[in-house]
Amino acid sequence: TRVEEQRQAIEDANTKKQEMEQAIQEINITKQEKEQAIQQTNIKKQEMVQVIQDTIVKQQEMEQTIEDAGIKKQELEQAIHETNMKKHEMEETIQEANRRVEMIQQINDTTQQQLQQLTHVLQQHIQESTQRISELEEQLKQENTSVQSHDKIHWVIERDEVQVTQEILGRGGWGEVKVGVFRGTRVAVKCLYE
């Protein structure tokens, strides 16, 4: 009976040993799983740290891009302001040029009207002078005819009795008709061409 008890004790001890070994194996397996989980966690942690670092770098790049964009925006705003100033100056220059053109056009219109009026007056004077010359030539012709029909001795006038001025009344085919003074009276004197 004592032997059986010892055998039973040994069997129980072996069973417990096996159970303990099994438990140790399970603990080792759990430990390995935990170590693997920790290793994976560390890997993920490193990946997350890298992601965070990449995010920080991208954020810095974005901030630099935003800063550069702000500088470019200011430069663009300055360029737009300068362009608007030049546009305003050009508009003022164009307006001034248009005003000068209008003034010149008004002066030209006034000058044209004055020239037309002067031309009209000169044409009237020319017509009146031409008519006057024709009348004087006709009068001289009649007087010459009358003189030829009378005794020439009675119609001879000394040259010194007539003062001939430089005022020309008109010109004809044979000579000029000038203003003269005969015995205090203004007369028309026909001077034949030489």
Side-chain angles (χ1 to χ4, degrees), residues 108-145:
N108 286 337
D109 293 340
T110 304
T111 305
Q112 186 67 28
Q113 291 177 357
Q114 292 176 350
L115 285 174
Q116 289 177 353
Q117 293 176 355
L118 182 59
T119 302
H120 180 69
V121 171
L122 289 174
Q123 287 177 349
Q124 287 182 344
H125 283 310
I126 290 171
Q127 290 178 355
E128 291 175 357
S129 297
T130 303
Q131 184 178 359
R132 179 62 177 166
I133 289 169
S134 298
E135 292 175 355
L136 291 172
E137 287 180 345
E138 183 65 26
Q139 184 179 354
L140 286 172
K141 184 178 179 180
Q142 291 176 359
E143 289 179 356
N144 288 333
T145 303

Side-chain angles (χ1 to χ4, degrees), residues 73-120:
K73 180 181 177 183
Q74 291 178 353
E75 292 176 352
L76 285 171
E77 289 176 350
Q78 182 67 25
I80 291 171
H81 178 69
E82 292 176 356
T83 302
N84 288 329
M85 291 291 291
K86 290 181 179 179
K87 179 182 176 183
H88 182 67
E89 291 176 356
M90 290 181 67
E91 288 176 349
E92 289 182 348
T93 302
I94 291 171
Q95 290 178 356
E96 181 65 22
N98 288 332
R99 284 194 293 268
R100 291 184 179 180
V101 169
E102 289 178 358
M103 290 177 61
I104 292 172
Q105 186 63 39
Q106 290 177 355
I107 292 172
N108 286 337
D109 293 340
T110 304
T111 305
Q112 186 67 28
Q113 291 177 357
Q114 292 176 350
L115 285 174
Q116 289 177 353
Q117 293 176 355
L118 182 59
T119 302
H120 180 69

Side-chain angles (χ1 to χ4, degrees), residues 59-73:
Q59 183 179 0
Q60 291 176 348
E61 291 177 351
M62 288 181 67
E63 290 176 352
Q64 183 64 36
T65 303
I66 292 171
E67 184 178 357
D68 294 339
I71 293 172
K72 289 182 179 179
K73 180 181 177 183

Side-chain angles (χ1 to χ4, degrees), residues 14-26:
N14 288 328
T15 302
K16 288 183 179 180
K17 180 182 177 182
Q18 290 177 353
E19 291 177 352
M20 289 180 67
E21 289 177 349
Q22 182 69 30
I24 290 169
Q25 288 179 355
E26 290 177 355

